[in-house]
Each structure stands twice: as C-alpha cells, then as structure tokens.
Amino acid sequence: MYQPEPQSMTFSTLIHEIDKGIIKIPQFQRDFVWSIDQSGRLIDSIIKGYPIGTFILWESQEKLRSVRNIGGANLPDTPPGSMVQYVLDGQQRMTSLYASLKGLNVKRDKGADDFSAIFVDLVADEDDPIIITSIEERDPSEVISLRDLLNGGISVLAAYPTTMYQKLEDYKNRLYTYRFSTILLRGASIDVATEVFTRLNVGGKSLTVFEIMVAKTYDADQDFDLAEKFEALIERLEFVGYETISDSTVLQTISILLVGECARKNILKLDKQSFINIWDQLVDSIEKAVEYFRNYFRIPVSKILPYNALIVPFSYFFYHHPTKPVNEMKKYLDDFFWRVSLTERYSSGVETKLAQDIKRIDQILKNQLPSYDYQPDTSKDYIINNGWFSANRSFIKAILCLMAYKEPKSFNDNSIVRINNDWLKQANSRNYHHFFPRSYLKNRGENEFYINHIVNITIVDDFLNKNRIRSQAPSKYMKTFKIENKELDKAMKTHLIDDLEVYGIWKDDYDLFFEQRAKKISQELTKRIIPQKLGIQKQ
C-alpha cells in the first residue's frame, strides 16, 4: 500500500526549488487567481507564525505538460537526472508566495497585477496586519517593501532609523526560518496523483479525463503535447465547419481504436506510447469521417450532426477502411447512421452503446448487414407527435440533416443556402425559418406545438429570413419570390415542398401544408432505413 511522506521545508528552500526548476505546476491545475490582498494576508500569517496549510507534492520521473511560468516568471527546465515535484495541492498559496517575494507582474485576463506592491508595516502591533498593500500617506521610514526586506542590501536597510533595525531583523528572520508543512508522494503513478488531486478538490471542479490525459501523455522527447495536438486538430476542422467536435469525443475515438471500449476507466488505462503512436492515424480517420459526413450525407457543419459521438464509429470504420465504402457496404453504413440518429441512441449510456456499435461496424466492414434490437419509427404520425423543434435533439437534427442533404436553395435566386455553425446554436437561429411565420400563426390562434414544429421549419439565409419574409403570410411572400425566381418550383423541392398548390401555400392552408410536408419527410426518412426484423440479421 502506498504511504505518503510528511516533510517540511524552509522558506528559502521552497523558493530555491522553484527557481531551480524542481517544483512545477502541472497543466491540469487551474490558473492563478489570488489577488494581491489575498497574497498579503498569506504573508501576514507566515510572519506571525500561523499555519497556512500543507503543500502536497508529487515527485516523479514522468515529464508532464507543466506550467513553466509560475506567476509569470520564466523558469528553467528541471535539471537532467533530477526528479520533478508537481504541486497537487497548494498551487494558489505557492504561486502567491513566489509572486510576492519576486515582486512579479502577474498578467490577468484584464490587465496585470504588480505583486511588488506588498509591504511590511514596521510599527504595526502584533494584533494588527503587519503586511499591507497600500502605503498612501504613510511615513517611508515606517514601511518597507517585502522584496527590500528579504533582498535589500546594507544600503537599503541602513536608510531606516536605528530604532527599526530590530524589527527589520526579526521579521526577516521569521520569514526565512518559517517551515512549510509538505506531504510528498514519492514514486506514485500518475493515476494515483490525479486521483489525489481530484479528491483534494472535491469542493471545486474535478479534473476532466482530457486534462488527466494531457498530463499523462505529455512527452517532450517525442514532441507530443495532447493539448496542442487537439487544438491543431480543431483548427483544421474549423476550416470545414466541424470545430464543435469535443475533446471527449476524440478520446473516445482513440480508446475505441486501441482497446475497443471507451469508458472513463478504459481511457485512463491507455498505454502512453500506444496513444502517441496512433495519434496521426486517429486524426486521419476523424478527417475522413468528417469528409464523409460533409460529402456523402451533405452535412455542412457539425452543429447539425445528431451526435458528436457519431464521429467515433465512423472514424473506426475509416481507420480500418481508408477508402470510401461502395455498393452494399455504403448502404449498411447509411442505415447505421440514420438508425442511431432517429432513435436518439446516444442520448444516454453512450460509452456502452459505442462499444456495442463497434461490433456492428465490424460486420459492415465484412460487407454484412448488422442485426439491430431497435427500430426507428419514420411514420408520419411519429414525426408529427415528436416534432417539437429543439435544435439540441438528435431526432430533430436528423431531420435537419435530411433537409441539408437536399442542399436547400434560396427562395429568391436559387443560390445554395449557406449554413453556419455560429447560426445554429439555438432554435431561433438565423438559418431556421418557420415557413408559416410564428407571429402569423399566433394571430390565427394556432397551437404553439404545431407552430414551433420541425415540419414548419425550412433552412434559409439570414437576409431572406429577417428582411424579406418577416411575418408575412406564405401566399404573400411566395408570390413575390415567384416573380423574382423563375425556377421557384425547383427551389422548393430542395426544401421538401413538392408543389406549392398541393401543399396549400397559395391559400395559406397550414393544416394541409403540415400534413403534406410531414408525409414527405416520412417518405424520405423511410427510404434511408433498411427494413429488417428486430434482432435478426437480413441475409
């Protein structure tokens, strides 16, 4: 059983170890947030001999992605042959001490804080604050900066009245001889270290799996930094509108590729070298999956992808099958996509279901149709009853994918509607247009459920939605577009509206429109599912 080692170190030793590059702040620690006043109170406690808590350090030979610049100071790498001591608990206190003693200028999101503005009040009583951060209207002979007290030469100290010499020496001695309580985790694994960190921070935000894996897989010799690698991947995906893919999805994908499962425990146990070795192939597989979503399914942006998690099985497919599927294999993969999306399969228990679905992908890779124990309902009635428009539901996103597949054209000039991730964050997005405008239907007394329904949604550009259509009746604004666009009928087919007359648009017949469009959506979705009896593989 692992036993931690209680120790103590002096003030000067602590600072020396930081300066030398022995003590590091691991990347998974939060940013330094303490104010100058908080730091001043910490120094005040030290100078009065009060306990300030225990520093917990993890001594290890592992090279983690560490924050080298404690408090903004440029610190050296750990000397060759030396063990690193990573701070698991006490980072705010330790950085406060270092910043205060060095007088650092600590950069913040909004400006910077000058930690040299910490002073010792030489005439304060023991019951009063001895450390202060403001010396306005104070006699310069009664206060001294913390830096001057500790580092000032004879000329600096000699400038004070002789009556202050004893105080100067006493306070300097109190700081230098103060012993900090430390607990050293010597030789513990990174799993133990991160578990200790997480338990120590139960009142705050626990480490994410990604933060742990950034620390665990960091390797300076191989130039591997997961945080930087992930950022580079997202920058590449941003060029094609798929920048919303999460770090957890990437970890699930790499875990599936390496061990066939992707629960938290599986990810944390991944072998570091295997993780590093497969990274480039992982990126290639994800990019091939994204390319397939964009080109074959015509899903232009990741925001309408029903689940981020769909990246996992499709990346797995392209890892084992680098070229695009054709013929039956393509049909089976298509069927898999729509089944997952329409049944809202990954809305819960996603790790378990991904592990199950990888076995189905294995069958598809063998050119076999997998058997399923679930069946999507693509009937008109189901769409009507479950079509409340929420941009976060996978069932609704699946229908949006269907709409995007048709490459919707602008009502007024037949240009392809541009779909943007930034415009798809919520149901009132610029791209989402209620074909029968909401205010128009509300004035007619229509029920809100049927107003804000996927059947009433079309994808248009922002200008058309906000400036040309607004709250007009469909017969009115469509008459204008009929004059402007000689191929309006063709354009409307890309919106799953086959015939303006049959769909009741010229008569503003919402009931007829709703019925006809729900029927059309049902027909299109049904074509994308391969019929089979549940649990029985089609031969």
Side-chain angles (χ1 to χ4, degrees):
M1 180 178 177
Y2 181 80
Q3 292 292 331
E5 302 176 19
Q7 297 181 351
S8 67
M9 68 172 68
T10 63
F11 198 87
S12 56
T13 301
L14 176 66
I15 301 305
H16 176 72
E17 295 291 85
I18 295 175
D19 279 335
K20 191 178 176 182
I22 299 296
I23 294 178
K24 296 285 189 181
I25 306 294
Q27 186 270 345
F28 52 71
Q29 285 276 17
R30 309 303 171 196
D31 290 338
F32 175 53
V33 297
W34 274 26
S35 66
I36 295 175
D37 288 336
Q38 285 176 294
S39 299
R41 288 193 292 271
L42 179 71
I43 302 293
D44 192 74
S45 294
I46 293 172
I47 213 166
K48 290 175 178 175
Y50 297 163
I52 64 164
T54 301
F55 294 123
I56 298 181
L57 307 174
W58 169 44
E59 186 175 80
S60 174
Q61 290 182 325
E62 289 206 48
K63 291 183 179 180
L64 303 186
R65 185 178 191 260
S66 58
V67 178
R68 296 177 56 195
N69 299 331
I70 298 178
N74 291 319
L75 300 173
D77 291 328
T78 304
S82 298
M83 301 281 275
V84 188
Q85 292 184 356
Y86 296 104
V87 182
L88 297 183
D89 193 45
Q91 185 251 146
Q92 298 293 328
R93 286 170 285 144
M94 186 174 291
T95 307
S96 287
L97 285 172
Y98 192 77
S100 301
L101 297 177
K102 295 290 184 178
L104 301 179
N105 194 45
V106 177
K107 293 182 180 180
R108 310 286 195 184
D109 289 338
K110 298 179 180 179
D113 287 336
D114 183 6
F115 276 74
S116 67
I118 295 179
F119 304 89
V120 180
D121 187 342
L122 298 174
V123 296
D125 293 330
E126 286 288 335
D127 293 335
D128 295 327
I130 296 173
I131 301 298
I132 57 177
T133 57
S134 176
I135 57 173
E136 281 189 54
E137 300 181 1
R138 291 297 303 270
D139 185 338
S141 67
E142 295 179 349
V143 295
I144 185 172
S145 73
L146 185 63
R147 291 181 67 196
D148 283 346
L149 176 67
L150 295 175
N151 305 311
I154 295 176
S155 60
V156 173
L157 301 179
Y160 286 83
T162 56
T163 53
M164 297 295 183
Y165 286 0
Q166 186 60 47
K167 277 283 184 74
L168 291 167
E169 183 179 352
D170 181 33
Y171 287 155
K172 184 174 184 178
N173 187 56
R174 288 189 197 185
L175 290 169
Y176 271 124
T177 59
Y178 187 91
R179 300 195 70 84
F180 296 97
S181 172
T182 62
I183 291 178
L184 188 65
L185 304 180
R186 194 190 300 275
S189 67
I190 188 171
D191 295 326
V192 170
T194 51
E195 179 63 19
V196 168
F197 177 86
T198 299
R199 294 190 181 200
L200 288 169
N201 287 273
V202 291
K205 183 181 178 183
S206 297
L207 287 177
T208 65
V209 177
F210 185 76
E211 288 171 321
I212 295 173
M213 292 306 292
V214 166
K216 182 176 180 178
T217 59
Y218 179 77
D219 194 298
D221 294 335
Q222 298 182 73
D223 192 27
F224 190 87
D225 183 331
L226 177 57
E228 292 181 357
K229 294 286 188 182
F230 175 73
E231 185 178 344
L233 171 60
I234 294 304
E235 287 178 356
R236 288 166 66 98
L237 294 178
E238 187 174 8
F239 283 112
V240 292
Y242 272 71
E243 71 275 11
T244 65
I245 302 303
S246 67
D247 54 32
S248 60
T249 297
V250 172
L251 289 181
Q252 287 170 344
T253 304
I254 204 167
S255 186
I256 284 288
L257 294 180
L258 288 173
V259 298
E261 296 183 274
C262 61
R264 176 188 173 96
K265 63 180 181 180
N266 303 122
I267 295 172
L268 293 177
K269 289 181 180 178
L270 292 178
D271 176 69
K272 172 182 174 178
Q273 193 57 52
S274 298
F275 192 105
I276 294 173
N277 290 344
I278 204 173
W279 180 262
D280 288 341
Q281 292 169 283
L282 165 83
V283 170
D284 182 64
S285 300
I286 289 177
E287 290 181 340
K288 281 185 167 67
V290 167
E291 182 184 6
Y292 195 70
F293 288 142
R294 294 182 70 247
N295 294 336
Y296 176 62
F297 290 109
R298 300 178 190 169
I299 303 172
V301 292
S302 55
K303 205 65 185 178
I304 60 172
L305 188 67
Y307 291 107
N308 262 342
L310 276 164
I311 290 287
V312 181
F314 276 81
S315 296
Y316 179 87
F317 176 89
F318 284 105
Y319 176 79
H320 293 284
H321 193 284
T323 59
K324 294 179 181 179
V326 295
N327 301 327
E328 296 304 303
M329 186 182 290
K330 187 175 184 179
K331 293 179 183 177
Y332 300 157
L333 200 58
D334 192 9
D335 174 65
F336 171 82
F337 172 87
W338 291 104
R339 284 179 181 273
V340 169
S341 303
L342 292 169
T343 59
E344 302 186 301
R345 178 164 171 76
Y346 295 155
S347 295
S348 63
V350 62
E351 294 92 352
T352 300
K353 290 172 182 174
L354 281 171
Q356 294 170 351
D357 285 349
I358 290 307
K359 297 176 181 177
R360 293 187 168 105
I361 297 297
D362 283 334
Q363 288 182 278
I364 293 173
L365 287 165
K366 297 175 183 176
N367 227 14
Q368 299 173 356
L369 175 63
S371 60
Y372 294 91
D373 54 4
Y374 59 92
Q375 181 74 23
D377 190 340
T378 58
S379 67
K380 181 187 71 173
D381 288 344
Y382 186 85
I383 292 169
I384 291 173
N385 293 332
N386 294 275
W388 171 260
F389 183 57
S390 169
N392 295 319
R393 290 179 52 202
S394 70
F395 179 74
I396 297 302
K397 285 185 175 184
I399 297 177
L400 291 173
C401 287
L402 174 66
M403 294 178 181
Y405 179 82
K406 295 294 183 178
E407 296 184 323
K409 306 295 193 298
S410 178
F411 298 166
N412 67 325
D413 62 6
N414 262 29
S415 60
I416 295 178
V417 175
R418 177 176 175 266
I419 302 175
N420 189 298
N421 266 329
D422 292 337
W423 293 356
L424 299 173
K425 294 178 181 177
Q426 50 194 10
N428 61 355
S429 152
R430 300 174 180 182
N431 273 140
Y432 302 138
H433 163 59
H434 292 72
F435 192 79
F436 276 71
R438 297 184 68 161
S439 57
Y440 171 78
L441 290 177
K442 282 183 178 180
N443 291 334
R444 287 179 44 170
E446 187 64 62
N447 184 291
E448 179 65 22
F449 177 81
Y450 294 104
I451 295 175
N452 191 45
H453 198 286
I454 187 62
V455 167
N456 191 30
I457 296 297
T458 51
I459 298 176
V460 301
D461 61 73
D462 174 52
F463 178 80
L464 209 66
N465 199 0
K466 304 299 183 185
N467 297 281
R468 297 292 306 276
I469 298 173
R470 296 191 291 271
S471 60
Q472 299 181 77
S475 63
K476 185 175 181 180
Y477 71 75
M478 291 304 292
K479 179 182 288 187
T480 301
F481 294 138
K482 183 74 172 175
I483 296 171
E484 295 177 3
N485 183 4
K486 300 305 180 183
E487 296 188 326
L488 180 63
D489 290 340
K490 290 183 179 180
M492 297 315 298
K493 290 182 186 300
T494 68
H495 293 274
L496 301 173
I497 299 173
D498 286 339
D499 187 296
L500 296 174
E501 184 70 41
V502 172
Y503 278 61
I505 291 169
W506 297 127
K507 296 180 179 179
D508 296 323
D509 188 339
Y510 187 55
D511 290 339
L512 180 57
F513 169 82
F514 195 92
E515 185 78 10
Q516 290 294 334
R517 197 155 188 260
K519 181 180 177 181
K520 179 65 176 180
I521 292 171
S522 171
Q523 291 171 345
E524 290 291 332
L525 291 177
T526 301
K527 289 192 300 186
R528 286 160 168 77
I529 303 295
I530 300 175
Q532 64 172 284
K533 293 182 179 179
L534 294 185
I536 301 176
Q537 181 173 324
K538 185 177 179 180
Q539 299 298 321

